[in-house]
Amino acid sequence: MKWKDYPQNIKVRLITSFFNRAVASAVMPFMALFFAQEMSKVWAGSFLIITVFIGFFVNMIGGYISDRFPRKKVLVMTSFLSACMFLLMAVSLLPTDRWIGLFALAYVFFIIASSLGRPAMHAIIIDSTTPENRKAIYAIDYWMVNLSMAIGAALGGLLYLNHQIELFMLLTVTSASLPIAYHIWLKDERVVSLKKQHHNVLIDLLQNYRVAFQDRPFVKVVIGSMFIFSAEFSLNSYIGVRLAESFQTFTIADFDVAGVRMLSLLNIQNMLLVVCFTFVVNRFTDRFSKKHVLLTGLLLYSIGYVTITSANSWYLLILFNFIGTIGELVYSPVRNAEMANMIPEDKRGSYSAFSNISFSGADLLARSTIIIGAFLIPTMMSVYMGVLLMIGTLLVYTGLFVRKPKRKLANRPEII
C-alpha cells in the first residue's frame, strides 16, 4: 500500500502523532526524575501513581465522549488544552525559583486532556480504514511510533539537563500546531454515533462499558494482550533490575558494558529492529494465513522473552532479544487489525478506551515481577513468564479466531 493511497485522516493522524510523540518522548520519561529533584522521591512516586489512575478513569470517559460527539471536535478541543498546559509548564520554569505547584497542576490537566482525546484518535484509525488495509496501516503506525520515540529519546538525552525551558517551548509549539492541523485537514467520517440510552449520564456511561465487558471474545483478547505485553514491559522492570544486580560486566574496545548499559543495548536493538524490519516482515507474512502468523509470532515472542528473563550472557540476551522482537513484528499488526475488526461501529471510542486495560494491566504485572523476583530465582521467573505468555496466547487466539461469530451479541441494546 503506497502513501498516496492512504485515507487523508490516516495521513493526518500518522504525521501529527509522529511529531507530537517525538517531542513528548523527549520530556515525559524524565517526569519522575524532574519531580524527584524538585520535591522528593516519595512525593514524585505518589504524585505519578495518582496521575496514572486519573489518566485511566478519564480515558474511559474519553471513550464514551468520542462515541457520543463528533471526534474532530473532541480532538481539536483536547489537543488545544494540551498545548495550553505545556505552555503553562514552560512558563512555570522561567522564574529562578520555579513554580513547581503550577507545573504539577498543569501536568495533571495535561494528563486529563490527553486521556480524553486518546480514544477518539484511536477510533479514527478504525473509522478511516477497512478490514483489507488495516494490517498495513497498523504496521506503518507501529513503525512510526518506535521511530518517533527513538528520536525523542535522543532529543531528551541532548537537551533535558541544560535546556529544559527550550525543550518545553518546543513541545508547546509542536502541540499548538495539532489542533490547527486537525481543524484544517481532518474529516468527520460518516460513522454511526452512540445514542444516549439513559437520562443519567453516569448510568449511560457505565451501561456503555457494560456492553463492552459482556463482549466475551473482545474481553479475552484484552486480558490475553495484557499477559503478552507484560513480558515486554518487564524488560525495563524485573529484567532491568536483575541485569543491574547480577550481569557480569564485559569489555568491548576498552568500553565497559555493565548491567544498565546492557539494558540500554537491548532497548536500542529493539527499536532498530522495528525501524529496519517492520515492512519487510509485514510483506513476508502477508502470504500466510492470519491464524498461523499470529501463533508463529507469539511463539517467537514467547521464546525470546522467556529466555532473556533469566539469561545472563550478553550473546544470549542479544540473540533472544532479536527473536522476541521479530516475533513482536510478526504478531502485532495481525492482533491490532483483527482486534479492530471486532469493535462495533457505534462503540469504537469506548472499546478503544476499554482495550487500554491491556497496557495498564501489563504495566502493573511488569512492576509486580520485581517483587516476585525477590522470592524466585531467575529460572523460575522464566517459568512464571512462560505461563503468563501461554495463557495470553490462548486467550488472544481463541478470542480472535475461535469464538468470533458470537461477538454480534454485543451489538444488542441492553435494558436496565
Side-chain angles (χ1 to χ4, degrees):
M1 190 176 183
K2 297 180 180 178
W3 178 257
K4 64 182 179 64
D5 299 324
Y6 283 30
Q8 181 170 319
N9 279 2
I10 296 298
K11 293 180 181 177
V12 174
R13 195 269 186 191
L14 291 174
I15 293 172
T16 54
S17 293
F18 175 83
F19 286 103
N20 189 52
R21 193 179 287 111
V23 182
S25 297
V27 174
M28 291 304 142
F30 295 101
M31 284 296 100
L33 176 62
F34 177 85
F35 286 119
Q37 289 175 337
E38 297 293 336
M39 303 295 288
S40 70
K41 290 181 181 179
V42 174
W43 191 96
S46 303
F47 175 74
L48 292 175
I49 287 172
I50 291 170
T51 61
V52 168
F53 282 102
I54 291 173
F56 175 76
F57 288 110
V58 173
N59 184 70
M60 302 296 277
I61 297 171
Y64 174 78
I65 290 173
S66 69
D67 284 336
R68 285 290 317 281
F69 304 101
R71 290 182 180 130
K72 179 175 179 178
K73 290 183 179 179
V74 173
L75 283 173
V76 170
M77 290 179 62
T78 55
S79 57
F80 174 75
L81 287 173
S82 294
C84 292
M85 293 306 105
F86 282 129
L87 179 61
L88 280 178
M89 289 184 210
V91 169
S92 69
L93 297 177
L94 290 174
T96 305
D97 186 15
R98 294 175 169 185
W99 299 336
I100 301 303
L102 177 62
F103 186 96
L105 186 65
Y107 181 75
V108 170
F109 279 99
F110 160 72
I111 295 295
I112 292 173
S114 61
S115 298
L116 278 175
R118 192 177 298 116
M121 180 56 75
H122 290 168
I124 277 178
I125 290 189
I126 308 174
D127 291 341
S128 306
T129 56
T130 63
E132 290 73 30
N133 64 14
R134 270 183 195 136
K135 182 172 179 283
I137 288 174
Y138 274 113
I140 191 171
D141 181 54
Y142 178 74
W143 178 79
M144 292 184 75
V145 164
N146 282 272
L147 180 61
S148 62
M149 290 178 68
I151 293 172
L155 194 65
L158 291 172
L159 299 179
Y160 175 78
L161 287 177
N162 300 314
H163 302 280
Q164 287 183 4
I165 296 174
E166 291 85 346
L167 198 53
F168 275 96
M169 289 306 299
L170 179 61
L171 186 53
T172 302
V173 173
T174 306
S175 300
S177 67
L178 298 188
I180 299 171
Y182 294 148
H183 180 73
I184 297 173
W185 290 296
L186 200 65
K187 296 179 180 179
D188 273 322
E189 299 287 345
R190 284 279 181 178
V191 295
V192 179
S193 296
L194 180 68
K195 303 299 182 183
K196 188 176 180 181
Q197 302 291 331
H198 303 274
H199 293 295
N200 188 309
V201 175
L202 180 60
I203 293 176
D204 202 43
L205 185 149
L206 293 174
Q207 175 64 22
N208 189 48
Y209 282 104
R210 180 186 172 192
V211 173
F213 189 75
Q214 288 178 334
D215 187 345
R216 292 184 65 185
F218 190 79
V219 172
K220 287 170 73 174
V221 177
V222 170
I223 301 301
S225 299
M226 179 182 74
F227 288 129
I228 290 166
F229 295 158
S230 67
E232 182 183 357
F233 287 13
S234 70
L235 183 63
N236 290 311
S237 55
Y238 168 75
I239 296 173
V241 171
R242 183 183 63 77
L243 290 176
E245 291 176 348
S246 62
F247 183 75
Q248 296 296 317
T249 303
F250 70 99
T251 304
I252 300 178
D254 296 329
F255 182 75
D256 291 335
V257 179
V260 175
R261 284 180 176 171
M262 189 67 226
L263 177 64
S264 298
L265 287 177
L266 294 177
N267 280 312
I268 292 169
Q269 180 193 19
N270 189 299
M271 283 190 286
L272 288 176
L273 287 171
V274 170
V275 171
C276 295
F277 291 106
T278 293
F279 301 114
V280 176
V281 171
N282 197 51
R283 280 197 297 269
F284 177 76
T285 57
D286 280 342
R287 68 187 74 178
F288 303 105
S289 76
K290 294 174 182 177
K291 294 180 181 180
H292 293 156
V293 169
L294 181 79
L295 287 176
T296 302
L298 287 173
L299 178 62
L300 292 172
Y301 177 86
S302 299
I303 291 171
Y305 278 98
V306 165
T307 304
I308 65 175
T309 296
S310 57
N312 223 25
S313 302
W314 68 267
Y315 51 88
L316 287 178
L317 288 166
I318 294 292
L319 173 62
F320 283 93
N321 190 51
F322 174 85
I323 293 173
T325 304
I326 294 298
E328 184 181 352
L329 293 179
V330 171
Y331 91 79
S332 186
V334 174
R335 189 206 72 92
N336 290 338
E338 291 302 305
M339 193 173 180
N341 294 340
M342 299 175 74
I343 298 177
E345 191 175 4
D346 65 334
K347 292 183 174 65
R348 286 171 173 168
S350 301
Y351 269 60
S352 296
F354 180 72
S355 68
N356 278 332
I357 292 174
S358 297
F359 299 99
S360 302
D363 195 22
L364 291 175
L365 276 175
R367 293 177 190 277
S368 72
T369 57
I370 300 175
I371 301 172
I372 297 171
F375 300 96
L376 298 179
I377 61 174
T379 50
M380 289 304 298
M381 286 301 296
S382 282
V383 173
Y384 171 72
M385 192 60 65
V387 171
L388 290 184
L389 288 166
M390 284 175 60
I391 296 172
T393 298
L394 180 65
L395 288 174
V396 169
Y397 180 81
T398 55
L400 289 178
F401 296 115
V402 176
R403 303 184 61 181
K404 195 173 180 180
K406 296 184 179 181
R407 174 181 58 82
K408 294 182 179 179
L409 293 173
N411 291 327
R412 294 180 180 176
E414 297 288 326
I415 299 174
I416 292 182

